[in-house]
Amino acid sequence: MKPSYEIIWSNCLSVIKENVPQISFKTWFDPIVPIKVEKDILTIQVPSAFFYEYLEEHFIDLLRSTIKSQLGHSAKLEYSVIVDTPHKKNQQPLTQKLPSNNKTDLRNRPVSVPNNSAEKPLVRNPFVIPGIKKLNVDPQLNSAYSFDNYVEGECNRLARSAGLAVAKNPGKTAFNPLFLYGNSGLGKTHLAQAIGIDVKKYFPEKTVLYLNANKFQTQFTESVRNNTVNDFLNFYQMIDVLIIDDVQEFAGKEGTQNTFFHIFNHLHQLNKQLILTADKPPVEIKGMEDRLLSRFKWGLSADVHIPNYDTRKAILKQKVYKDGISITDDVIDYLAGNISNNVRELEGALISLLAQATLNKKEITIDVATSIVEKLVRKPTKELSVDSIQKTVCEYFGLQMDVLQSKTRKREIVQARQVAMYFSKSLTGSSLSAIGLQIGKKDHATVLHACKTVNNLIETNKDFKSQMQEIEAQIKM
């Protein structure tokens, strides 16, 4: 009897999980839902057209091999793409033969509603002195927040990819609205403004506007006080690309939510682009009307994580290069390894370091960097990086770091190396290749084998499992 589609897909995921980084697995495979299997065709449901296209471009070989291993050489894969619009919600299945790598444009394009007026009406612009009615909008964008200055990493790859797609085709992709969420200081504002900057570059005739939710709330309150709500509505309904930061600030403000609901509907119906940011995903925002939250989910919700060690290094190196400053690699390594909460802290520490070194005419050394970090950065927990994990594992087994990095095949050294690789994969966002490079200059296959070996020992050896629990506690201490 052939196994069920749930078991088939579960078996596929077990293989896939061992061959992609943890963050990539969570981003691209956790949201997939198996639908059915008929003959040799497995149907999986993906949340958007972008998912389908991304899977086809980056993971088709892996999907092909894993599904063939379950269903045989003639296996086929069928995607069921969710299309959720304000008018309907359905699924569009596409049969994709596994040997093919062709892509189909599944993007949902709402019908354009023509504007029959000969020219846009004159309305009050809330960004200028009251009484000036010409629609001449300053986008309120910071030129420093461009894609050129935005470092890509595992922490933001989905959000950045979607942002680039929106910038090249605003209002015409499946990512409308584009909802960016994550903790403060991780680059959501930078990314949102980078989209706006590129839209103005590609489409200078479009009206782009960025503002914080608090500014929107203030303007709305003033329009109520001055009896100019209609002008307020008309102004925002004429924007082509509206970017609102920190929309969670609308929570509990019923009048503002109701007004933004009408603005949202109007812009979305006319294929205008909405870009929203928040400190949490829509489902976790409290005090917001359900009808508004449901609209936040129409497009793509993309989270921005804490950058891993490699990404933090890249951010520092880019800033140092841009500012024409000379800093040694060991100082950059120290900053990247000891400042992990957010990008804002990282850049702030670098600015303070440069200021101190300039004012005191001191060379930028590890000692100077240490004094700055201790004063500016709060570190409630130990930084979970590949380097710190190696150090903790070496301390536990009584080994020197250079021994772990050596080519020796002694059993106890090999096992310690495998344990370090296992925790690096499970506790950091580093890729298999990056882990292998930092632990003995091994390749990704060696890291994958190490993780499988440690997993097997945890499942079969109680003493080893107890040791692993002790090591993990020390790593997180």
Side-chain angles (χ1 to χ4, degrees):
M1 181 178 177
K2 183 179 292 186
S4 66
Y5 62 86
E6 292 99 336
I7 293 175
I8 291 172
W9 182 241
S10 177
N11 292 340
C12 291
L13 287 182
S14 297
V15 177
I16 292 169
K17 193 170 187 178
E18 297 296 336
N19 287 275
V20 299
Q22 182 182 11
I23 291 180
S24 293
F25 183 83
K26 287 185 65 177
T27 301
W28 299 110
F29 294 96
D30 269 358
I32 296 175
V33 178
I35 299 298
K36 62 181 178 180
V37 62
E38 293 180 354
K39 297 182 180 179
D40 296 327
I41 302 175
L42 174 65
T43 302
I44 58 174
Q45 177 181 288
V46 294
S48 71
F50 182 67
F51 261 74
Y52 160 73
E53 293 173 0
Y54 197 93
L55 289 171
E56 281 286 287
E57 183 173 352
H58 297 277
F59 299 112
I60 186 58
D61 290 336
L62 181 58
L63 284 166
R64 179 188 297 124
S65 60
T66 53
I67 292 175
K68 281 186 176 181
S69 70
Q70 297 296 316
L71 295 176
H73 185 71
S74 60
K76 296 179 182 178
L77 179 63
E78 182 175 274
Y79 297 91
S80 181
V81 182
I82 294 178
V83 179
D84 190 1
T85 76
H87 306 295
K88 62 182 179 179
K89 182 175 182 180
N90 56 31
Q91 296 173 355
Q92 297 182 355
L94 278 184
T95 301
Q96 174 64 53
K97 295 182 179 179
L98 290 172
S100 170
N101 196 24
N102 295 330
K103 300 180 178 62
T104 302
D105 188 357
L106 297 177
R107 291 173 291 195
N108 181 56
R109 302 174 183 270
V111 177
S112 272
V113 178
N115 187 348
N116 294 324
S117 58
E119 59 182 23
K120 293 182 178 180
L122 296 178
V123 298
R124 188 183 303 276
N125 183 341
F127 285 87
V128 298
I129 300 171
I132 298 178
K133 297 189 176 185
K134 183 180 179 182
L135 185 65
N136 184 16
V137 181
D138 179 351
Q140 309 284 319
L141 298 169
N142 185 339
S143 60
Y145 288 161
S146 66
F147 277 111
D148 291 339
N149 297 329
Y150 191 80
V151 176
E152 179 180 335
E154 289 287 345
C155 58
N156 58 30
R157 186 158 290 129
L158 170 61
R160 185 178 183 276
S161 298
L164 286 168
V166 166
K168 293 176 181 177
N169 205 7
K172 301 297 193 299
T173 72
F175 320 136
N176 194 17
L178 176 59
F179 191 98
L180 307 172
Y181 67 91
N183 291 333
S184 176
L186 297 181
K188 302 185 301 296
T189 297
H190 187 151
L191 179 55
Q193 292 208 28
I195 299 169
I197 289 171
D198 267 19
V199 170
K200 290 300 291 182
K201 180 172 69 176
Y202 299 137
F203 309 95
E205 77 284 358
K206 287 190 179 296
T207 302
V208 177
L209 177 62
Y210 163 87
L211 76 160
N212 188 277
N214 280 328
K215 181 69 173 177
F216 184 93
Q217 164 69 18
T218 300
Q219 291 176 352
F220 171 68
T221 302
E222 290 176 353
S223 73
V224 173
R225 184 184 303 118
N226 298 326
N227 198 27
T228 57
V229 173
N230 286 339
D231 281 343
F232 180 83
L233 279 168
N234 288 335
F235 171 80
Y236 277 98
Q237 288 175 348
M238 294 170 67
I239 304 297
D240 295 311
V241 178
L242 180 59
I243 307 168
I244 297 191
D245 221 347
D246 295 324
V247 291
Q248 76 276 358
E249 298 292 338
F250 289 161
K253 301 177 175 68
E254 294 182 7
T256 304
Q257 289 182 42
N258 183 60
T259 300
F260 184 65
F261 172 81
H262 293 297
I263 291 171
F264 184 107
N265 280 352
H266 182 89
L267 295 179
H268 197 277
Q269 186 180 20
L270 293 177
N271 291 346
K272 307 299 185 182
Q273 181 68 48
L274 293 115
I275 301 165
L276 312 172
T277 80
D279 60 359
K280 53 180 69 69
V283 69
E284 294 180 13
I285 299 177
K286 306 299 182 184
M288 197 81 76
E289 293 182 11
D290 289 340
R291 62 176 184 168
L292 201 51
L293 289 177
S294 69
R295 279 157 177 77
F296 291 169
K297 302 173 189 176
W298 277 354
L300 175 69
S301 296
D303 59 340
V304 180
H305 306 292
I306 294 174
N308 61 22
Y309 175 77
D310 290 334
T311 305
R312 295 197 298 273
K313 279 185 64 176
I315 291 170
L316 288 169
K317 286 185 175 181
Q318 184 196 64
K319 187 165 182 62
V320 166
Y321 175 79
K322 180 186 174 187
D323 294 342
I325 304 160
S326 177
I327 294 183
T328 59
D329 287 342
D330 59 341
V331 172
I332 289 178
D333 291 344
Y334 175 81
L335 293 175
N338 287 272
I339 304 173
S340 60
N341 288 339
N342 59 55
V343 177
R344 197 173 294 147
E345 269 192 0
L346 196 66
E347 294 181 340
L350 181 60
I351 291 170
S352 297
L353 177 62
L354 298 175
Q356 287 286 342
T358 302
L359 292 173
N360 298 324
K361 297 181 179 180
K362 289 183 178 180
E363 183 183 354
I364 300 175
T365 64
I366 288 290
D367 290 338
V368 176
T370 301
S371 66
I372 293 295
V373 170
E374 288 176 349
K375 292 175 183 177
L376 296 181
V377 180
R378 181 178 61 184
K379 295 183 65 179
T381 59
K382 182 188 290 185
E383 158 65 5
L384 296 185
S385 65
V386 176
D387 187 56
S388 68
I389 288 172
Q390 286 187 85
K391 290 178 181 177
T392 302
V393 171
C394 285
E395 289 172 2
Y396 184 87
F397 289 107
L399 302 173
Q400 297 295 321
M401 279 282 286
D402 57 349
V403 175
L404 197 70
Q405 297 286 351
S406 68
K407 295 183 178 181
T408 179
R409 298 297 301 168
K410 290 184 179 179
R411 184 175 179 277
E412 63 272 21
I413 307 299
V414 171
Q415 187 170 84
R417 190 183 296 129
Q418 290 176 334
V419 168
M421 290 176 175
Y422 170 84
F423 281 120
S424 295
K425 180 178 181 294
S426 61
L427 298 178
T428 76
S430 297
S431 66
L432 296 177
S433 298
I435 292 170
L437 187 64
Q438 294 182 67
I439 305 180
K441 295 184 178 179
K442 306 295 183 182
D443 59 23
H444 76 282
T446 302
V447 178
L448 187 59
H449 173 73
C451 294
K452 289 180 179 179
T453 301
V454 171
N455 263 323
N456 289 336
L457 285 171
I458 290 174
E459 293 174 358
T460 58
N461 188 319
K462 290 184 178 179
D463 291 336
F464 182 81
K465 181 178 181 179
S466 178
Q467 283 184 327
M468 293 293 286
Q469 290 171 341
E470 291 177 7
I471 295 171
E472 183 170 4
Q474 290 184 21
I475 289 173
K476 294 180 176 180
M477 191 178 298

